[in-house]
Amino acid sequence: MRQNTRGVICTLLGGSCWGFSAACGQYLFANYHLDASWITVVRMLGAGLILLFINFFRQREQFTGIWKDSHDRIQLVLFAIFGLMFSQYTFLTAISFSNAGTAAVLQYLGPVLVMILVCFGGRRLPNGIEIISIVLAVLGTFLLATHGNPATMVLSRKGLFWGLLSAVSLAMYTLLPAKLTPRWGSMVVTGFGMLIGGVILACLVRVWNIPVALDLKGWLAVGGMVVMGTIMAYTLYLQGVADIGSVRASMLASVEPVSATILSVIWLHTRFLLMDLIGFACILTTVFLLAKKKEE
């Protein structure tokens, strides 16, 4: 019972930290007009270095062993670029064109995309629960984008585009490290992935040429994204997975968009209408349906 309680609390706190990170991103975009690529680079490099420093002493064998196999090295680089870098950048860009709550919810279309890919790879049609999940995902996205009126577009086209792209990136983030994490551990894979992805993106966008003017509050928000939104979030979530299993943990981690929405309203004074909340509920319901199906 004690382990179960610890797992539930850790998972909820981890998901809430991710929501807090999304709210920090919205705060930085609204008040400092930062470039999404700059935030992505700083977050990935900072989190990657700290995670690797911690795990160098805790998982020395995995720390060096992951580089000894050429196939694992290639997989790690692919995960760093198309999993972590892609997901971090698209999610933050989605926030810049919408808000933390909406971007977080749209990203949670990712599990539905994974399910569709699994059906396609298995050459089978979706079953009853999977069909309901697809319908709810489409309905939720429709309500968020139009508030139920197909003649109007309340969510900007860029916000919708980057939100849907972040869902694609979440699906890739889920599938790419499937063979790496059981062998080398999630923290080591994530740490190296963050560092590699951050270095590559920094070179691609020439991050040193991007103008940045932050005061103390701005740097605190950046620090919150790195420490709370990445390091603490991953550590707490992985402890939750160890205690209660990946299925229950993935369900409880969907508190992320809920916390992001609450923080957006209370801290950043973002307004959400009833149709937005119904759309949120439709999309988040798919997480529970698919997780429940996996558990069975």
Side-chain angles (χ1 to χ4, degrees):
M1 181 63 69
R2 186 178 301 170
Q3 179 177 327
N4 182 73
T5 302
R6 181 181 65 184
V8 170
I9 292 173
C10 285
T11 305
L12 289 174
L13 287 175
S16 297
C17 285
W18 276 319
F20 173 73
S21 176
C24 286
Q26 183 179 337
Y27 173 79
L28 289 169
F29 289 125
N31 293 280
Y32 300 95
H33 310 289
L34 291 179
D35 189 285
S37 58
W38 184 88
I39 301 178
T40 305
V41 168
V42 172
R43 181 183 185 182
M44 294 186 72
L45 289 179
L49 287 170
I50 295 173
L51 284 172
L52 290 175
F53 176 78
I54 294 172
N55 286 281
F56 178 76
F57 300 100
R58 295 175 57 188
Q59 296 176 296
R60 185 74 63 88
E61 185 177 343
Q62 292 91 329
F63 192 92
T64 56
I66 194 171
W67 295 102
K68 295 179 180 179
D69 186 286
S70 59
H71 185 262
D72 286 345
R73 289 199 298 269
I74 294 172
Q75 272 197 303
L76 180 60
V77 173
L78 290 175
F79 171 60
I81 298 172
F82 298 105
L84 279 169
M85 188 183 81
F86 188 38
S87 64
Q88 296 282 331
Y89 179 75
T90 55
F91 179 56
L92 285 170
T93 305
I95 293 175
S96 71
F97 288 116
S98 56
N99 57 72
T102 302
V105 170
L106 286 175
Q107 190 181 48
Y108 268 76
L109 292 167
V112 179
L113 297 178
V114 172
M115 178 268 294
I116 293 173
L117 288 173
V118 169
C119 290
F120 182 78
R123 297 181 180 180
R124 65 174 180 85
L125 294 174
N127 60 29
I129 291 179
E130 292 167 341
I131 291 173
I132 293 173
S133 297
I134 293 172
V135 172
L136 285 173
V138 173
L139 176 61
T141 306
F142 171 74
L143 291 176
L144 285 177
T146 68
H147 283 177
N149 184 357
T152 63
M153 191 77 174
V154 294
L155 180 63
S156 73
R157 295 182 185 277
K158 288 184 178 180
L160 180 60
F161 171 78
W162 285 103
L164 294 176
L165 203 58
S166 73
V168 174
S169 70
L170 180 63
M172 296 175 68
Y173 170 83
T174 303
L175 295 172
L176 282 173
K179 295 181 179 179
L180 284 177
T181 49
R183 186 174 180 184
W184 304 111
S186 297
M187 298 293 278
V188 170
V189 173
T190 301
F192 276 120
M194 286 279 188
L195 183 61
I196 294 169
V199 170
I200 291 174
L201 183 60
C203 295
L204 288 175
V205 302
R206 297 185 178 183
V207 70
W208 49 87
N209 290 329
I210 298 176
V212 175
L214 292 175
D215 56 15
L216 178 60
K217 290 182 179 179
W219 283 112
L220 285 174
V222 173
M225 295 183 72
V226 173
V227 177
M228 289 190 65
T230 307
I231 298 167
M232 288 183 62
Y234 276 104
T235 302
L236 289 166
Y237 177 71
L238 290 173
Q239 181 61 54
V241 170
D243 287 339
I244 61 176
S246 60
V247 174
R248 289 185 65 198
S250 66
M251 293 171 68
L252 292 173
S254 61
V255 73
E256 175 193 351
V258 177
S259 64
T261 301
I262 292 173
L263 285 169
S264 291
V265 172
I266 296 175
W267 177 23
L268 305 171
H269 309 294
T270 305
R271 292 185 59 200
F272 294 100
L273 301 181
L274 178 60
M275 285 296 183
D276 294 317
L277 300 179
I278 295 174
F280 287 3
C282 288
I283 293 173
L284 292 180
T285 299
T286 66
V287 178
F288 289 89
L289 288 175
L290 295 175
K292 190 66 178 175
K293 175 183 176 296
K294 183 179 178 181
E295 189 176 37
E296 293 171 353

